[in-house]
Amino acid sequence: KIIIKGEINEGSICELFDMQGRKVLERQLTGGELNTVDVPAGLHGIMVVHVTDGLQVTTAKIVLH
């Protein structure tokens, strides 16, 4: 699971990309302080997470085991 902490608006989007730039996952988030995104089983390695909230984009690298 990916846990997203921080205030975001309803309709924000979480995207997950592999290191080759391929989109692996896209989920719409609910408004509030905490969102949880389920990751498909078998997905592992270094990934890039983009959270888009209106005009604000937050990017982070994560490692999935």
Side-chain angles (χ1 to χ4, degrees), residues 22-37:
R22 296 178 294 223
K23 188 185 294 188
V24 177
L25 177 78
E26 181 175 329
R27 295 284 185 271
Q28 192 159 356
L29 304 173
T30 59
E33 289 276 330
L34 185 68
N35 279 273
T36 304
V37 177

Side-chain angles (χ1 to χ4, degrees), residues 1-9 12-14 29-37 49-53 56-60 62:
K1 292 185 178 202
I2 299 172
I3 298 171
I4 301 167
K5 290 183 182 180
E7 186 65 38
I8 59 171
N9 295 312
S12 297
I13 296 174
C14 175
L29 304 173
T30 59
E33 289 276 330
L34 185 68
N35 279 273
T36 304
V37 177
V49 178
H50 285 272
V51 176
T52 306
D53 183 8
Q56 183 177 359
V57 178
T58 304
T59 304
I62 62 170

Side-chain angles (χ1 to χ4, degrees), residues 18 48 51:
D18 64 14
V48 177
V51 176

Side-chain angles (χ1 to χ4, degrees), residues 16-20 44-48 60-65:
L16 185 64
F17 296 89
D18 64 14
M19 291 309 292
Q20 286 75 40
H44 62 277
I46 299 172
M47 302 283 169
V48 177
K61 284 186 185 176
I62 62 170
V63 178
L64 298 175
H65 297 278

